[in-house]
Amino acid sequence: MPFALLKYGLKREYPAERHFPPQPELKSTYDVVIIGGGGHGLAAAYYLAKDYGITDVAVLDKGYLGGGNTARNTAIIRANYLTPEGVRFYAESIALFKELSQELDFNVLYSERGHLTLAHTDAAVRTSRWRAEVNKHLGVDSELIFPDQIRKLVPSLNLSEDVRYPILGALYHPPGAIARHDAVAWGYAAAAARRGVELHQKVEVTGVLRANGRALGVETTRGTVHCGRILQAVSGSSSLVAAMAGFRLPIHTVPLQACVSQPLKPFLDPIVVSGSLHTYISQSARGELVMGGETDPYGVYADRSTLEFKEGLIAHMLELFPFLAEIKVLRQWAGMVDMTPDFSPVMGKTPVENYYIDAGWGTWGFKATPVSGKRMAETIATGRVPELIERFRLGRFYEFKQIGERGAASVGH
Ligand code: PYC
């Protein structure tokens, strides 16, 4: 047994430093209230404090910090999107992720692996080429590669032509990475708290106070809180919370399931995605295979796991990696994803003055954590929406100016 463990075990008090200060009493007034203590809400709180000196901020979460979709995603980071808006946005996120452990003084286990989107049809090869061209044009490293190059990157992949969906090529994106998702939330939370932000767990928002089209505060399970500005960052319940604020979002919410295997010796460096087989896989630092597939085909607010999903996923996974047949699945879970009609998020102002929104992340919210936090903080602090996120405004749905990102989705919807 390690000596330190024995020493701590026998002490009356736990001597290690706490990451977060004890939760204070909820005040009746703040400058900014953030609804949602997931990665996005915590990142916005951190950048409000760090970049703008706004520290009279309360982050409210109905559960625990980082316990919603932040804890339920599969931690993939990439910028190989299809639209210029998506590519630029995620390129900034990657730049922030690379420095995040230093920035927060907290190891988020950022690990650059490369990302492969397999193309099994001529149409998928065309889309890969298109994405590669858009990416390169905007300075993001992506290229179309063919089976000989794929074999070098993933020797264990079944590249046989004698299968249901032979692999014709792939979009290769060297900056693709993974990070430890809960460390990202904890790192932002701890760094925000060090700057004076208050973190309130188990405080549920039950209503939004409004008058003359302005947000004035929130009703919570711990009482009424007045504030100057509100940010809603509640992935999985976005439509429900927006309804409390009095406006509708073009979002439907569906479960997205995933699972991990028992740990294996490292054999898979890149992240591998197959659109035709509706599956993706990466190997974590612990050796577990992190695997997922398409969203469930019905709208339901239930983060349960199903056998049907596991059976379908594993059948597809074995077409790519037949030697995994004897491997055991250790854990399975689901998150709730808020899908917009164009597969792009909604960020910025809302019809309610002083009420800001960060929603509609579908299946790619984790990888946006630093950039959405930074740019939403800028929007709230200055009252101006930065150019990088302006096109993601809610109003695009009324103006018929959608940002179609379906072609860059890793999983089927
Ligand atoms: O965007 O890479 C992604 C992804 C994989 C699974 C869900 N989203």
Side-chain angles (χ1 to χ4, degrees):
M1 180 187 287
F3 178 65
L5 192 58
L6 195 63
K7 194 174 88 183
Y8 291 166
L10 295 176
K11 281 238 174 185
R12 273 178 185 277
E13 282 172 10
Y14 186 64
E17 205 180 302
R18 294 177 68 119
H19 284 314
F20 309 124
Q23 184 160 317
E25 280 295 306
L26 190 62
K27 295 190 297 187
S28 58
T29 312
Y30 292 90
D31 189 352
V32 180
V33 162
I34 298 179
I35 312 174
H40 285 220
L42 293 164
Y46 168 75
Y47 291 113
L48 275 171
K50 189 206 157 208
D51 293 353
Y52 302 97
I54 299 175
T55 57
D56 187 24
V57 178
V59 180
L60 312 181
D61 198 284
K62 68 175 178 184
Y64 59 93
L65 298 178
N69 275 341
T70 300
R72 293 161 184 279
N73 72 84
T74 42
I76 296 171
I77 299 162
R78 61 187 174 90
N80 57 357
Y81 279 71
L82 184 62
T83 67
E85 291 86 350
V87 176
R88 278 197 199 99
F89 178 75
Y90 285 103
E92 182 167 306
S93 210
I94 288 192
L96 291 166
F97 258 120
K98 283 187 172 166
E99 304 301 323
L100 203 55
S101 296
Q102 297 294 333
E103 166 93 26
L104 302 178
D105 193 18
F106 200 102
N107 190 354
V108 302
L109 299 180
Y110 185 81
S111 168
E112 194 171 285
R113 300 293 194 83
H115 183 280
L116 281 169
T117 310
L118 305 177
H120 303 265
T121 62
D122 289 344
V125 171
R126 270 198 304 278
T127 308
S128 301
R129 194 185 294 281
W130 177 4
R131 279 168 73 182
E133 290 308 318
V134 176
N135 286 198
K136 277 189 270 196
H137 181 65
L138 295 167
V140 168
D141 190 4
S142 292
E143 59 176 319
L144 178 62
I145 61 171
F146 296 96
D148 282 354
Q149 295 152 286
I150 300 173
R151 186 171 290 111
K152 288 192 188 127
L153 291 165
V154 192
S156 50
L157 186 62
N158 184 7
L159 282 154
S160 161
E161 288 173 16
D162 190 19
V163 291
R164 197 162 55 125
Y165 296 117
I167 295 167
L168 307 182
L171 178 69
Y172 178 45
H173 176 54
I178 52 175
R180 179 80 201 161
H181 44 30
D182 34 29
V184 171
W186 298 334
Y188 273 120
R194 282 198 296 275
R195 291 175 182 268
V197 168
E198 289 186 10
L199 309 172
H200 292 274
Q201 309 189 75
K202 295 208 172 273
V203 179
E204 183 165 355
V205 170
T206 53
V208 176
L209 302 172
R210 286 171 289 140
N212 303 322
R214 281 175 82 90
L216 303 176
V218 289
E219 300 285 6
T220 80
T221 44
R222 299 256 178 93
T224 304
V225 178
H226 289 92
C227 60
R229 292 161 280 185
I230 299 174
L231 169 63
Q232 172 186 322
V234 292
S235 162
S237 325
S238 299
S239 309
L240 305 177
V241 178
M244 289 184 206
F247 62 96
R248 286 185 65 199
L249 289 173
I251 281 178
H252 74 282
T253 302
V254 285
L256 178 67
Q257 303 190 48
C259 62
V260 295
S261 74
Q262 65 187 107
L264 304 177
K265 277 189 186 165
F267 73 94
L268 182 64
D269 203 34
I271 302 141
V272 177
V273 178
S274 163
S276 301
L277 288 168
H278 302 298
T279 186
Y280 62 92
I281 180 170
S282 67
Q283 190 168 23
S284 74
R286 275 201 294 243
E288 295 170 345
L289 298 178
V290 182
M291 300 172 282
E294 57 194 332
T295 57
D296 287 357
Y298 29 75
V300 51
Y301 286 99
D303 52 10
R304 80 284 175 269
S305 304
T306 64
L307 181 60
E308 194 187 9
F309 163 79
K310 187 160 61 183
E311 279 180 341
L313 173 75
I314 301 300
H316 287 160
M317 191 60 69
L318 293 183
E319 294 191 33
L320 298 177
F321 297 100
F323 73 96
L324 295 179
E326 299 302 320
I327 300 308
K328 295 199 170 26
V329 168
L330 273 196
R331 295 189 300 282
Q332 189 185 345
W333 70 93
M336 304 305 308
V337 295
D338 289 335
M339 299 301 311
T340 60
D342 62 1
F343 287 60
S344 287
V346 179
M347 282 178 277
K349 298 184 177 181
T350 71
V352 181
E353 211 178 315
N354 295 334
Y355 191 94
Y356 299 88
I357 187 104
D358 170 286
W361 289 99
T363 55
W364 32 59
F366 171 70
K367 66 177 76 63
T369 307
V371 65
S372 69
K374 194 168 179 74
R375 297 310 191 151
M376 286 309 301
E378 182 179 346
T379 306
I380 295 165
T382 65
R384 286 187 304 277
V385 183
E387 208 233 311
L388 191 72
I389 65 168
E390 212 280 325
R391 278 285 284 115
F392 296 105
R393 64 187 176 272
L394 179 56
R396 75 179 186 273
F397 296 104
Y398 310 108
E399 300 157 9
F400 300 104
K401 291 190 176 149
Q402 303 199 4
I403 308 172
E405 275 295 6
R406 187 177 202 135
S410 287
V411 294
H413 299 81

